[in-house]
RNA sequence: GGCGACGUGGCCAAGUGGUUAAGGCGGAGGUCUGCAAAAUCUCUAUCAGCGGUUCGAUUCCGCUCGUCGCCUCCA
């Protein structure tokens, strides 16, 4: 299969270096509820993981939690909680959200606060090689010492300097030098180190965790496009400087960002939609579909219209999966071609829109052939397998709570209409249906009787 | 200012140097159904604009216009 690599800018053949595909994905900073932008990113890497396994690879995926940083410290202080309590709360919520979205668990979820010894080891190693230097309780990475700095984000140190908004009053040798260790201010959580009490810089934790859990060189490093610079650029710099091994990651995969309206969804713009809010109105299938509908490297757009549209589209799959199959019929819908198309699309840098189109084509052909009494069992099984195993869909109807009393009331009306229809009093029957429609009930008449559901 | 991405039907969104430019939603019409719903069939685009390369470009190159992201914490 082919994958795009941000570093080289190329799409090229992917094979893991060893027996296991080693993947590191940058996780969240748990200081507030995860939003649908996070959902998009983790769904993308979930599908990557699922697809690699489908293609027969063993996969080891590691995803961190940045459970110590400025925002966590500030917010914990505001709420009168410890950083640990606050982070723990949102980590729990993160797992609940991902479960609800049917995102499979990574193999490891290391936390920055539990990796401090490894981080200190790296910082010390970087100082020893003169890639880093202590300054006033902090330790900074020396950007000018790294010739390759800027290779991921395709810019030179000089270019960055031109547009950089430089922190004032910080004792750095070069404006672009970044902190690998931050000295603690009074009252902040801190760990002892050779440079005084402090905590890890943001970037170093990912380098340390990737190194500890996956080794010096990994196959795929993933994250949102907004992490390319500075976070991933800095990870490369630290990791390769510390280990002397390159490449730190063989493929850099970055998902596009989720926009709302025409702007990025972000805290500062106040347009965040949390995952739990979205799940109040839409199914996880609909949310996953909105991610799969467009290519992972392009931007996503969040809108209520699109989510509602997805629920309608998903009905096509549910109908096709329920279509009657005439096992042993003379004519049989051959599933092999669809599978080949699906794999061909996914092998091409995870072209989920095209793979999804294959599934829709399959649904249409299943429905058409089922009407003529063909055996569509193989195709239905394939549709279900690809949809659930790789795309992580459930194909379940969104459950709407209907109380027992209301259900009895509805059923009584439905029964009355059935009687009226049997008596061919269609005008009255239609009147009853109007009443039911007003209650949000949709009826379906078929040879087997009348069924109803509430949207 | 620097770096990068993008501009395809009413909306969303794949794709290709040259036979019919996927798919979803929506719209119009037909089949089926007492009527609906569902399903199915048919129809619904010349690919931002201008130049260039080419026998031929929506697809390659340049410019213009427009949009977005990153350059500061961010999936």
């Amino acid at each position: 299969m082919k994958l795009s690599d941000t570093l080289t800018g190329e799409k090229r053949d992917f094979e893991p270096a060893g027996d296991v595909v080693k993947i590191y994905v940058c996780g969240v900073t748990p200081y507030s509820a995860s939003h649908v932008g996070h959902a998009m990113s983790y769904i993308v890497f979930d599908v990557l993981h699922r697809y690699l396994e489908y293609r027969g690879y063993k996969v080891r995926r590691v995803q961190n939690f940045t459970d110590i940083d400025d925002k966590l410290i500030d917010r914990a202080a505001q709420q009168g909680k410890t950083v640990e309590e606050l982070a723990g709360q949102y980590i729990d919520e993160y797992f609940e959200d991902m479960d609800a979205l049917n995102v499979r668990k990574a193999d490891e979820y290391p936390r920055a606060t539990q990796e401090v010894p490894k981080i200190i080891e790296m910082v010390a190693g970087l100082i020893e090689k003169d890639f880093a230097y202590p300054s006033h309780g902090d330790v900074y990475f020396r950007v000018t010492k790294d010739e390759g700095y800027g290779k991921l984000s395709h810019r030179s140190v000089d270019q960055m300097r031109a547009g950089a908004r430089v922190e004032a009053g910080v004792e750095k040798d070069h404006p672009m030098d970044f902190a690998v260790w931050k000295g603690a201010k009074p009252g902040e959580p801190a760990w002892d180190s050779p440079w005084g009490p402090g905590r890890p810089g943001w970037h170093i934790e990912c380098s340390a965790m990737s190194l500890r859990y996956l080794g010096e060189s990994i196959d795929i490093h993933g994250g949102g496009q907004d992490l390319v610079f500075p976070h991933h650029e800095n990870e490369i710099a630290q990791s390769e400087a510390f280990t002397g091994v390159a490449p730190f990651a063989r493929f850099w995969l970055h998902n596009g960002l989720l926009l709302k309206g025409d702007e990025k969804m972000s805290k500062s713009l106040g347009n965040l939609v949390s995952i739990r809010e979205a799940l109040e109105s839409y199914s996880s299938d609909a949310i996953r579909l909105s991610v799969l509908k467009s290519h992972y490297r392009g931007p996503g757009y969040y809108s209520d219209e699109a989510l509602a549209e997805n629920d309608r589209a998903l009905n096509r799959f549910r109908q096709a999966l329920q279509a009657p199959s005439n096992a042993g019929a003379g004519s049989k819908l051959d599933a092999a071609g669809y599978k080949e198309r699906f794999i061909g699309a996914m092998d091409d840098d995870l072209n989920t829109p095209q793979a999804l189109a294959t599934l829709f084509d399959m649904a249409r052909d299943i429905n058409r052939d089922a009407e003529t009494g063909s055996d569509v069992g193989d195709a239905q099984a394939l549709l279900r397998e690809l949809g659930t195993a790789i795309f992580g869909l459930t194909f379940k109807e969104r459950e709407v709570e209907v109380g027992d009393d209301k259900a009895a009331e509805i059923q009584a009306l439905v029964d009355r209409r059935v009687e009226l229809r049997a008596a061919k009093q269609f005008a009255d029957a239609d009147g009853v249906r109007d009443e039911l429609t007003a209650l949000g009930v949709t009826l379906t008449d078929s040879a087997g009787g009348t069924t109803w559901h509430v949207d």
Side-chain angles (χ1 to χ4, degrees):
Chain A
M1 75 186 279
K2 288 181 186 299
L3 288 176
S4 287
D5 174 22
T6 306
L7 195 147
T8 60
E10 295 169 341
K11 182 156 74 176
R12 57 179 206 278
D13 287 321
F14 173 79
E15 280 295 335
D19 299 338
V20 177
V21 182
K22 298 176 180 177
I23 305 177
Y24 186 94
V25 178
C26 288
V28 297
T29 300
Y31 74 105
S32 65
S34 298
H35 55 75
V36 286
H38 295 124
M40 174 169 165
S41 185
Y42 299 117
I43 288 170
V44 165
F45 291 103
D46 179 46
V47 169
L48 172 68
H49 187 155
R50 289 164 177 268
Y51 185 65
L52 286 167
E53 287 192 345
Y54 183 77
R55 295 294 265 135
Y57 295 110
K58 278 198 166 29
V59 178
R60 180 166 163 79
R61 176 167 52 111
V62 174
Q63 183 176 319
N64 70 296
F65 284 110
T66 301
D67 61 347
I68 178 75
D69 94 321
D70 291 340
K71 293 186 296 289
L72 270 164
I73 292 169
D74 291 349
R75 178 150 313 198
Q78 280 168 21
Q79 300 185 3
K81 291 177 181 167
T82 65
V83 167
E84 195 178 353
E85 284 167 351
L86 188 70
Q89 173 194 332
Y90 286 117
I91 287 172
D92 289 346
E93 286 193 14
Y94 173 85
F95 284 126
E96 287 170 20
D97 290 345
M98 291 302 135
D99 284 349
L101 291 171
N102 207 19
V103 170
R104 283 173 37 178
K105 286 253 192 321
D107 297 281
E108 297 280 352
Y109 286 98
R111 304 180 187 192
T113 55
Q114 290 163 22
E115 306 294 333
V116 173
K118 184 73 186 173
I119 291 165
I120 288 176
E121 179 196 327
M122 278 192 83
V123 173
L126 289 170
I127 292 172
E128 201 169 307
K129 293 186 175 183
D130 196 38
F131 273 108
Y133 56 93
S135 173
H136 300 74
D138 301 330
V139 179
Y140 292 96
F141 186 87
R142 195 186 300 285
V143 161
T144 47
K145 169 102 177 172
D146 176 12
E147 287 177 11
Y149 193 73
K151 63 188 176 185
L152 180 71
S153 49
H154 307 291
R155 45 189 112 176
S156 68
V157 170
D158 290 341
Q159 283 172 340
M160 290 183 250
R161 198 172 182 178
R165 280 161 264 181
V166 180
E167 268 180 86
V170 179
E171 301 293 328
K172 296 196 281 192
D173 289 359
H174 186 280
M176 294 310 296
D177 288 350
F178 57 90
V180 291
W181 184 264
K182 293 179 145 183
K185 298 190 187 82
E188 288 184 350
W191 288 260
D192 285 330
S193 81
W195 318 284
R199 57 191 164 90
W202 175 35
H203 316 296
I204 195 78
E205 61 171 91
C206 283
S207 290
M209 293 184 227
S210 183
L211 180 58
R212 177 167 175 199
Y213 291 91
L214 293 170
E216 294 179 331
S217 182
I218 66 175
D219 295 298
I220 297 170
H221 194 118
Q225 263 167 9
D226 51 353
L227 297 182
V228 172
F229 190 90
H231 186 56
H232 288 163
E233 191 71 63
N234 293 354
E235 277 189 55
I236 294 178
Q238 296 160 340
S239 297
E240 294 184 356
F242 177 74
T243 65
V245 174
F248 165 51
R250 300 174 54 240
F251 284 79
W252 285 89
L253 262 59
H254 291 104
N255 62 276
L257 301 180
L258 188 69
L259 312 181
K260 180 140 187 268
D262 286 328
E263 292 170 314
K264 175 177 161 181
M265 188 175 278
S266 74
K267 192 124 220 150
S268 52
L269 290 166
N271 58 359
L272 288 180
V273 177
S274 72
I275 292 170
R276 16 201 80 196
E277 279 177 277
L279 282 168
E280 281 172 20
S281 303
Y282 308 104
S283 65
S284 81
D285 278 9
I287 293 170
R288 292 188 75 106
L289 205 61
S290 65
V291 172
L292 299 167
K293 264 167 76 172
S294 61
H295 191 94
Y296 75 87
R297 276 183 295 121
Y301 297 92
Y302 184 89
S303 76
D304 290 308
E305 295 73 29
L307 268 310
E309 174 185 315
N310 289 346
D311 267 326
R312 292 193 288 275
L314 282 159
N315 265 326
R316 301 181 63 73
F317 290 136
R318 296 190 199 106
Q319 293 291 338
L321 290 169
Q322 288 165 13
S325 177
N326 191 2
S331 57
K332 181 170 181 173
L333 182 58
D334 182 17
Y338 303 111
K339 185 169 176 175
E340 203 175 309
R341 261 180 72 195
F342 185 94
I343 289 173
M346 293 296 283
D347 272 356
D348 183 16
D349 195 26
L350 299 184
N351 192 331
T352 54
Q354 234 169 47
L356 187 62
T358 304
L359 260 37
F360 278 114
D361 281 344
M362 209 189 303
R364 184 198 57 221
D365 292 346
I366 287 169
N367 284 325
R368 185 167 50 196
D369 285 17
E371 277 187 7
T372 61
S374 290
D375 180 352
V376 294
D378 286 357
Q380 285 175 316
L382 180 67
L383 176 57
R384 185 172 289 285
E385 185 198 3
L386 296 177
T388 56
I390 298 171
F391 282 171
L393 301 171
T394 64
F395 294 128
K396 283 181 189 141
E397 199 90 46
R398 195 157 184 280
E399 287 180 25
V400 177
E401 298 289 329
V402 179
D404 288 347
D405 290 352
K406 188 171 179 201
E409 178 193 346
I410 291 167
Q411 191 59 50
L413 284 165
V414 171
D415 291 344
R416 201 166 102 223
R417 176 171 168 278
V418 169
E419 287 168 25
L420 289 166
R421 286 185 70 221
K424 298 207 185 297
Q425 295 176 354
F426 294 123
D428 292 338
D430 287 349
V432 176
R433 179 162 59 198
D434 289 344
E435 284 181 54
L436 286 162
T437 301
L439 292 169
V441 177
T442 304
L443 296 169
T444 305
D445 297 323
S446 68
T450 297
T451 58
W452 61 272
H453 71 273
V454 178
D455 290 318

